[in-house]
Amino acid sequence: MAKIHLKQVKKTYGKGPKAVDVIHGIDIDIADGEFIVMVGPSGCGKSTLLRMVAGLEEISSGEVMIGDRVVNNLEPKERDIAMVFQNYALYPHMSVYENMAYGLKIQGLPKAEIETRVQRAAQILELGALLERTPRQLSGGQRQRVAMGRAIVRKPAVFLFDEPLSNLDAKLRVQMRLEIQKLHKALRTTSLYVTHDQVEAMTLGQRMIVMNKGRAEQIGTSAEVYGKPATTFVASFIGSPPMNLLNGQLNAEGDRFTFDDGSSVNLPAAAQGARAGAGARILGIRPEHLQLGHPGLTLEVDLVEALGAELLVHTRCGGQGMVVRCPASTEVATGQTVTAGFEPSTVHWFDPQTTHRID
């Protein structure tokens, strides 16, 4: 196993006036044995950064260390990493056993050692009964387990996962998340995992890196990122539905917030707004922290989504969209005007100019 250290890593495509910067100086420290997830929308640079760690993309500037070695100029095979891809990348004409053993044969390992490693990986991933099958005889989840088995047998210092579950259906993704969690607990290998799925990010990673336009917007545990988003981007990306973000003006006393349409709300605790300072502000509050029927905000109901155990009530507040999550037993209908209250501790404040959190 090994730690990973990224120091001011940048990536630029092209030269001169046509140069395009896609990674803008990333600093990350991943501890030995840690499982970190990079999450963000398409085009945010997460896969590019992963490929730079793997050696599949050249680094424009900065430093990548795996263990105690700077690996900037090392080939992928020299970095002691194993990568699991989105499309499985299995050899269709080889059996499961041959797919898992192929890399070890190329290394010239003895047959007995190859047998031991493959059988051990097959046991961990419950592939013992499938070793003689070819990839076309396997389900998507089984193929992905074979791809992980091929990585495990190499006993690398670092595992790199590039959206490995994105081709699977929702139910199978849940099962595979559990498999990956069990795998990490058993092997304790340093892992860097890329996904666009925030549920995967929050359930799998010991910490997560939220990427946006080639920058790490926030690095922290799931609880830290969800509970105290560093920017409006993080607040709107992490959480389903995302945090409600309302533009307006905070008064000098910090006890009243006026929306852009002129309507306003008295804040339940002056201190919550006072710390944010008077002026243009963004008020953030998560859908589950709003309580229908309590005094506070006046909402016009646009749509009610029934999701079995709960309702998502889409409303308008101060001329802006707001979602309320509430129990399925709540009586509410489209076209109604309702009120919603909230606890002072659940309010978040952001600067509309910088989009950064105000604490």
Short mmCIF file of all heavy atoms in Angstrom, two decimals, residues 240-293:
data_model
loop_
_atom_site.label_atom_id
_atom_site.label_comp_id
_atom_site.label_asym_id
_atom_site.label_seq_id
_atom_site.Cartn_x
_atom_site.Cartn_y
_atom_site.Cartn_z
N SER A 240 -29.90 15.24 -2.77
CA SER A 240 -30.95 14.97 -3.76
C SER A 240 -32.31 14.94 -3.04
O SER A 240 -32.57 14.03 -2.26
CB SER A 240 -30.70 13.64 -4.46
OG SER A 240 -31.68 13.39 -5.43
N PRO A 241 -33.15 15.96 -3.30
CA PRO A 241 -32.91 17.14 -4.12
C PRO A 241 -31.82 18.03 -3.53
O PRO A 241 -31.52 17.93 -2.34
CB PRO A 241 -34.27 17.86 -4.11
CG PRO A 241 -35.25 16.92 -3.51
CD PRO A 241 -34.48 15.98 -2.67
N PRO A 242 -31.25 18.92 -4.35
CA PRO A 242 -30.17 19.77 -3.83
C PRO A 242 -30.69 20.82 -2.86
O PRO A 242 -31.90 21.03 -2.72
CB PRO A 242 -29.62 20.41 -5.10
CG PRO A 242 -30.76 20.41 -6.07
CD PRO A 242 -31.53 19.14 -5.77
N MET A 243 -29.75 21.51 -2.23
CA MET A 243 -30.10 22.58 -1.31
C MET A 243 -30.85 23.69 -2.05
O MET A 243 -30.52 24.03 -3.18
CB MET A 243 -28.83 23.15 -0.66
CG MET A 243 -29.09 24.26 0.35
SD MET A 243 -27.56 24.95 1.05
CE MET A 243 -27.00 23.60 2.08
N ASN A 244 -31.87 24.24 -1.39
CA ASN A 244 -32.55 25.42 -1.92
C ASN A 244 -31.65 26.64 -1.71
O ASN A 244 -31.17 26.88 -0.60
CB ASN A 244 -33.88 25.65 -1.20
CG ASN A 244 -34.86 24.51 -1.41
OD1 ASN A 244 -35.24 24.22 -2.54
ND2 ASN A 244 -35.25 23.85 -0.33
N LEU A 245 -31.42 27.41 -2.77
CA LEU A 245 -30.57 28.60 -2.71
C LEU A 245 -31.40 29.79 -3.17
O LEU A 245 -31.83 29.86 -4.32
CB LEU A 245 -29.33 28.43 -3.59
CG LEU A 245 -28.40 27.28 -3.20
CD1 LEU A 245 -27.33 27.06 -4.27
CD2 LEU A 245 -27.74 27.55 -1.85
N LEU A 246 -31.61 30.74 -2.26
CA LEU A 246 -32.49 31.87 -2.52
C LEU A 246 -31.70 33.18 -2.46
O LEU A 246 -31.00 33.44 -1.47
CB LEU A 246 -33.62 31.90 -1.49
CG LEU A 246 -34.48 30.62 -1.41
CD1 LEU A 246 -35.42 30.68 -0.23
CD2 LEU A 246 -35.26 30.44 -2.70
N ASN A 247 -31.82 33.99 -3.50
CA ASN A 247 -31.14 35.27 -3.56
C ASN A 247 -31.96 36.35 -2.87
O ASN A 247 -33.20 36.35 -2.95
CB ASN A 247 -30.88 35.67 -5.01
CG ASN A 247 -29.87 34.78 -5.69
OD1 ASN A 247 -28.68 34.87 -5.44
ND2 ASN A 247 -30.35 33.87 -6.54
N GLY A 248 -31.25 37.28 -2.23
CA GLY A 248 -31.95 38.38 -1.58
C GLY A 248 -31.01 39.30 -0.83
O GLY A 248 -29.79 39.27 -1.03
N GLN A 249 -31.59 40.12 0.05
CA GLN A 249 -30.84 41.09 0.83
C GLN A 249 -31.06 40.84 2.31
O GLN A 249 -32.20 40.66 2.76
CB GLN A 249 -31.30 42.52 0.49
CG GLN A 249 -31.06 42.95 -0.95
CD GLN A 249 -29.62 43.34 -1.19
OE1 GLN A 249 -28.92 43.83 -0.29
NE2 GLN A 249 -29.15 43.15 -2.43
N LEU A 250 -29.97 40.84 3.06
CA LEU A 250 -30.04 40.69 4.52
C LEU A 250 -29.93 42.07 5.15
O LEU A 250 -29.06 42.87 4.78
CB LEU A 250 -28.90 39.79 4.99
CG LEU A 250 -28.89 39.35 6.45
CD1 LEU A 250 -30.11 38.49 6.77
CD2 LEU A 250 -27.62 38.58 6.76
N ASN A 251 -30.81 42.37 6.11
CA ASN A 251 -30.77 43.70 6.74
C ASN A 251 -29.61 43.81 7.73
O ASN A 251 -28.94 42.82 8.06
CB ASN A 251 -32.11 44.03 7.41
CG ASN A 251 -32.39 43.15 8.62
OD1 ASN A 251 -31.67 42.20 8.90
ND2 ASN A 251 -33.45 43.49 9.35
N ALA A 252 -29.35 45.02 8.19
CA ALA A 252 -28.19 45.29 9.05
C ALA A 252 -28.27 44.52 10.37
O ALA A 252 -27.25 44.12 10.93
CB ALA A 252 -28.07 46.78 9.31
N GLU A 253 -29.48 44.32 10.87
CA GLU A 253 -29.64 43.60 12.14
C GLU A 253 -29.51 42.09 11.97
O GLU A 253 -29.36 41.36 12.94
CB GLU A 253 -31.00 43.93 12.78
CG GLU A 253 -31.13 45.36 13.27
CD GLU A 253 -31.31 46.35 12.11
OE1 GLU A 253 -31.80 45.92 11.04
OE2 GLU A 253 -30.93 47.52 12.27
N GLY A 254 -29.62 41.64 10.73
CA GLY A 254 -29.49 40.22 10.45
C GLY A 254 -30.72 39.41 10.81
O GLY A 254 -30.65 38.19 10.93
N ASP A 255 -31.85 40.07 11.00
CA ASP A 255 -33.05 39.34 11.42
C ASP A 255 -34.15 39.32 10.36
O ASP A 255 -35.25 38.83 10.59
CB ASP A 255 -33.60 39.91 12.73
CG ASP A 255 -33.98 41.39 12.60
OD1 ASP A 255 -33.85 41.95 11.48
OD2 ASP A 255 -34.38 41.99 13.62
N ARG A 256 -33.84 39.88 9.18
CA ARG A 256 -34.85 39.89 8.12
C ARG A 256 -34.16 39.73 6.76
O ARG A 256 -33.17 40.38 6.47
CB ARG A 256 -35.67 41.18 8.15
CG ARG A 256 -36.89 41.13 7.23
CD ARG A 256 -37.84 42.29 7.53
NE ARG A 256 -39.10 42.14 6.81
CZ ARG A 256 -40.11 41.37 7.19
NH1 ARG A 256 -40.01 40.66 8.30
NH2 ARG A 256 -41.22 41.28 6.48
N PHE A 257 -34.73 38.85 5.93
CA PHE A 257 -34.18 38.57 4.60
C PHE A 257 -35.24 38.93 3.57
O PHE A 257 -36.36 38.42 3.62
CB PHE A 257 -33.80 37.10 4.49
CG PHE A 257 -33.04 36.75 3.23
CD1 PHE A 257 -31.74 37.17 3.04
CD2 PHE A 257 -33.65 36.00 2.22
CE1 PHE A 257 -31.03 36.84 1.89
CE2 PHE A 257 -32.96 35.67 1.07
CZ PHE A 257 -31.65 36.10 0.90
N THR A 258 -34.88 39.81 2.63
CA THR A 258 -35.82 40.27 1.60
C THR A 258 -35.46 39.64 0.26
O THR A 258 -34.32 39.79 -0.22
CB THR A 258 -35.79 41.80 1.48
OG1 THR A 258 -36.10 42.38 2.75
CG2 THR A 258 -36.81 42.28 0.45
N PHE A 259 -36.42 38.96 -0.34
CA PHE A 259 -36.20 38.30 -1.62
C PHE A 259 -36.20 39.31 -2.76
O PHE A 259 -36.62 40.45 -2.60
CB PHE A 259 -37.26 37.22 -1.85
CG PHE A 259 -37.28 36.16 -0.78
CD1 PHE A 259 -38.29 36.13 0.17
CD2 PHE A 259 -36.28 35.20 -0.71
CE1 PHE A 259 -38.31 35.17 1.15
CE2 PHE A 259 -36.30 34.23 0.27
CZ PHE A 259 -37.31 34.22 1.22
N ASP A 260 -35.77 38.84 -3.93
CA ASP A 260 -35.66 39.73 -5.08
C ASP A 260 -37.00 40.30 -5.54
O ASP A 260 -37.05 41.35 -6.19
CB ASP A 260 -34.98 39.00 -6.25
CG ASP A 260 -33.48 38.75 -5.99
OD1 ASP A 260 -32.94 39.37 -5.05
OD2 ASP A 260 -32.87 37.96 -6.73
N ASP A 261 -38.11 39.61 -5.23
CA ASP A 261 -39.41 40.12 -5.65
C ASP A 261 -40.02 41.08 -4.64
O ASP A 261 -41.16 41.53 -4.81
CB ASP A 261 -40.37 38.97 -5.93
CG ASP A 261 -40.80 38.23 -4.66
OD1 ASP A 261 -40.16 38.45 -3.59
OD2 ASP A 261 -41.77 37.45 -4.72
N GLY A 262 -39.30 41.38 -3.56
CA GLY A 262 -39.77 42.32 -2.55
C GLY A 262 -40.37 41.68 -1.33
O GLY A 262 -40.51 42.34 -0.29
N SER A 263 -40.77 40.41 -1.39
CA SER A 263 -41.28 39.74 -0.21
C SER A 263 -40.13 39.45 0.75
O SER A 263 -38.96 39.47 0.36
CB SER A 263 -42.00 38.45 -0.60
OG SER A 263 -41.10 37.56 -1.23
N SER A 264 -40.45 39.19 2.01
CA SER A 264 -39.39 39.01 3.00
C SER A 264 -39.82 38.00 4.05
O SER A 264 -40.98 37.61 4.14
CB SER A 264 -39.04 40.34 3.66
OG SER A 264 -40.17 40.89 4.31
N VAL A 265 -38.85 37.59 4.87
CA VAL A 265 -39.10 36.65 5.95
C VAL A 265 -38.30 37.08 7.18
O VAL A 265 -37.15 37.54 7.07
CB VAL A 265 -38.71 35.21 5.54
CG1 VAL A 265 -37.24 35.10 5.18
CG2 VAL A 265 -39.06 34.21 6.64
N ASN A 266 -38.94 36.98 8.33
CA ASN A 266 -38.24 37.23 9.60
C ASN A 266 -37.44 35.99 9.96
O ASN A 266 -37.99 34.88 9.98
CB ASN A 266 -39.24 37.56 10.72
CG ASN A 266 -39.89 38.91 10.52
OD1 ASN A 266 -39.24 39.87 10.12
ND2 ASN A 266 -41.19 38.99 10.78
N LEU A 267 -36.17 36.16 10.24
CA LEU A 267 -35.33 35.01 10.59
C LEU A 267 -35.55 34.65 12.04
O LEU A 267 -35.64 35.53 12.91
CB LEU A 267 -33.86 35.33 10.33
CG LEU A 267 -33.53 35.64 8.87
CD1 LEU A 267 -32.10 36.11 8.72
CD2 LEU A 267 -33.78 34.42 8.00
N PRO A 268 -35.62 33.37 12.37
CA PRO A 268 -35.96 32.95 13.74
C PRO A 268 -34.89 33.28 14.77
O PRO A 268 -35.17 33.31 15.95
CB PRO A 268 -36.15 31.44 13.61
CG PRO A 268 -35.44 31.06 12.36
CD PRO A 268 -35.51 32.23 11.47
N ALA A 269 -33.67 33.52 14.34
CA ALA A 269 -32.63 33.89 15.29
C ALA A 269 -31.72 34.91 14.61
O ALA A 269 -31.10 34.60 13.60
CB ALA A 269 -31.83 32.67 15.74
N ALA A 270 -31.65 36.11 15.17
CA ALA A 270 -30.90 37.19 14.53
C ALA A 270 -29.45 36.83 14.32
O ALA A 270 -28.84 37.23 13.32
CB ALA A 270 -31.01 38.46 15.38
N ALA A 271 -28.89 36.05 15.25
CA ALA A 271 -27.46 35.72 15.15
C ALA A 271 -27.14 34.94 13.87
O ALA A 271 -26.04 35.05 13.33
CB ALA A 271 -27.02 34.91 16.37
N GLN A 272 -28.10 34.16 13.39
CA GLN A 272 -27.83 33.37 12.19
C GLN A 272 -27.53 34.27 10.99
O GLN A 272 -26.67 33.99 10.19
CB GLN A 272 -29.04 32.49 11.86
CG GLN A 272 -29.26 31.35 12.83
CD GLN A 272 -28.14 30.34 12.80
OE1 GLN A 272 -27.68 29.95 11.74
NE2 GLN A 272 -27.68 29.93 13.96
N GLY A 273 -28.26 35.37 10.86
CA GLY A 273 -28.03 36.28 9.76
C GLY A 273 -26.96 37.31 10.05
O GLY A 273 -26.27 37.77 9.15
N ALA A 274 -26.81 37.68 11.33
CA ALA A 274 -25.86 38.73 11.69
C ALA A 274 -24.44 38.34 11.32
O ALA A 274 -23.64 39.17 10.90
CB ALA A 274 -25.96 39.02 13.18
N ARG A 275 -24.12 37.07 11.45
CA ARG A 275 -22.75 36.62 11.13
C ARG A 275 -22.47 36.75 9.64
O ARG A 275 -21.33 36.87 9.23
CB ARG A 275 -22.55 35.18 11.59
CG ARG A 275 -22.41 35.03 13.09
CD ARG A 275 -21.74 33.70 13.43
NE ARG A 275 -22.57 32.57 13.07
CZ ARG A 275 -23.47 32.02 13.89
NH1 ARG A 275 -23.66 32.51 15.09
NH2 ARG A 275 -24.18 30.98 13.50
N ALA A 276 -23.52 36.68 8.82
CA ALA A 276 -23.33 36.77 7.38
C ALA A 276 -23.08 38.20 6.92
O ALA A 276 -22.54 38.42 5.85
CB ALA A 276 -24.55 36.19 6.66
N GLY A 277 -23.49 39.18 7.73
CA GLY A 277 -23.29 40.58 7.35
C GLY A 277 -24.39 41.07 6.44
O GLY A 277 -24.99 40.32 5.68
N ALA A 278 -24.68 42.38 6.51
CA ALA A 278 -25.76 42.95 5.72
C ALA A 278 -25.38 43.02 4.25
O ALA A 278 -24.20 43.06 3.89
CB ALA A 278 -26.10 44.34 6.25
N GLY A 279 -26.41 43.05 3.38
CA GLY A 279 -26.18 43.20 1.96
C GLY A 279 -26.70 42.01 1.17
O GLY A 279 -27.46 41.18 1.69
N ALA A 280 -26.30 41.93 -0.10
CA ALA A 280 -26.73 40.83 -0.96
C ALA A 280 -26.18 39.51 -0.44
O ALA A 280 -24.98 39.37 -0.22
CB ALA A 280 -26.27 41.08 -2.39
N ARG A 281 -27.06 38.54 -0.26
CA ARG A 281 -26.67 37.24 0.27
C ARG A 281 -27.49 36.14 -0.41
O ARG A 281 -28.55 36.39 -0.98
CB ARG A 281 -26.88 37.17 1.80
CG ARG A 281 -25.95 38.07 2.60
CD ARG A 281 -24.53 37.54 2.56
NE ARG A 281 -23.58 38.40 3.25
CZ ARG A 281 -22.80 39.31 2.67
NH1 ARG A 281 -22.87 39.48 1.36
NH2 ARG A 281 -21.96 40.03 3.36
N ILE A 282 -26.99 34.92 -0.32
CA ILE A 282 -27.75 33.74 -0.74
C ILE A 282 -28.08 32.94 0.51
O ILE A 282 -27.19 32.58 1.29
CB ILE A 282 -26.95 32.88 -1.73
CG1 ILE A 282 -26.67 33.66 -3.01
CG2 ILE A 282 -27.71 31.59 -2.05
CD1 ILE A 282 -25.76 32.93 -3.98
N LEU A 283 -29.36 32.70 0.71
CA LEU A 283 -29.82 31.89 1.84
C LEU A 283 -30.00 30.46 1.35
O LEU A 283 -30.68 30.22 0.36
CB LEU A 283 -31.13 32.45 2.39
CG LEU A 283 -31.74 31.79 3.62
CD1 LEU A 283 -32.62 32.80 4.37
CD2 LEU A 283 -32.59 30.56 3.27
N GLY A 284 -29.37 29.52 2.05
CA GLY A 284 -29.47 28.12 1.67
C GLY A 284 -30.16 27.31 2.75
O GLY A 284 -29.89 27.50 3.94
N ILE A 285 -31.04 26.43 2.33
CA ILE A 285 -31.69 25.52 3.28
C ILE A 285 -32.09 24.25 2.54
O ILE A 285 -32.60 24.29 1.42
CB ILE A 285 -32.92 26.19 3.95
CG1 ILE A 285 -33.45 25.30 5.07
CG2 ILE A 285 -33.99 26.53 2.94
CD1 ILE A 285 -34.37 26.03 6.03
N ARG A 286 -31.81 23.11 3.14
CA ARG A 286 -32.09 21.83 2.50
C ARG A 286 -33.58 21.48 2.59
O ARG A 286 -34.26 21.83 3.56
CB ARG A 286 -31.23 20.73 3.11
CG ARG A 286 -29.73 20.91 2.81
CD ARG A 286 -28.99 19.61 2.84
NE ARG A 286 -27.56 19.79 2.49
CZ ARG A 286 -27.09 19.80 1.25
NH1 ARG A 286 -27.94 19.60 0.24
NH2 ARG A 286 -25.81 19.97 1.02
N PRO A 287 -34.09 20.76 1.56
CA PRO A 287 -35.52 20.42 1.52
C PRO A 287 -36.03 19.70 2.76
O PRO A 287 -37.16 19.93 3.20
CB PRO A 287 -35.62 19.53 0.28
CG PRO A 287 -34.51 19.98 -0.60
CD PRO A 287 -33.38 20.33 0.34
N GLU A 288 -35.20 18.84 3.35
CA GLU A 288 -35.64 18.08 4.52
C GLU A 288 -35.68 18.91 5.80
O GLU A 288 -36.21 18.47 6.82
CB GLU A 288 -34.76 16.85 4.74
CG GLU A 288 -33.29 17.16 4.98
CD GLU A 288 -32.47 17.19 3.72
OE1 GLU A 288 -33.03 17.49 2.65
OE2 GLU A 288 -31.26 16.93 3.79
N HIS A 289 -35.12 20.12 5.77
CA HIS A 289 -35.10 20.98 6.96
C HIS A 289 -36.26 21.96 6.99
O HIS A 289 -36.37 22.76 7.91
CB HIS A 289 -33.76 21.73 7.04
CG HIS A 289 -32.60 20.84 7.29
ND1 HIS A 289 -31.32 21.11 6.87
CD2 HIS A 289 -32.53 19.64 7.92
CE1 HIS A 289 -30.51 20.14 7.23
NE2 HIS A 289 -31.21 19.24 7.86
N LEU A 290 -37.11 21.93 5.97
CA LEU A 290 -38.31 22.77 5.93
C LEU A 290 -39.49 21.97 6.47
O LEU A 290 -39.67 20.80 6.14
CB LEU A 290 -38.59 23.23 4.50
CG LEU A 290 -37.60 24.26 3.94
CD1 LEU A 290 -37.71 24.33 2.43
CD2 LEU A 290 -37.84 25.63 4.56
N GLN A 291 -40.31 22.63 7.28
CA GLN A 291 -41.45 21.95 7.91
C GLN A 291 -42.74 22.64 7.47
O GLN A 291 -43.02 23.78 7.88
CB GLN A 291 -41.30 22.00 9.44
CG GLN A 291 -40.02 21.33 9.94
CD GLN A 291 -39.73 21.64 11.39
OE1 GLN A 291 -39.87 22.77 11.84
NE2 GLN A 291 -39.30 20.62 12.13
N LEU A 292 -43.49 21.94 6.64
CA LEU A 292 -44.76 22.51 6.16
C LEU A 292 -45.73 22.74 7.32
O LEU A 292 -45.81 21.94 8.26
CB LEU A 292 -45.41 21.58 5.14
CG LEU A 292 -44.83 21.56 3.72
CD1 LEU A 292 -45.70 20.70 2.81
CD2 LEU A 292 -44.70 22.96 3.15
N GLY A 293 -46.47 23.87 7.22
CA GLY A 293 -47.47 24.18 8.24
C GLY A 293 -46.93 25.00 9.39
O GLY A 293 -47.70 25.50 10.21
#
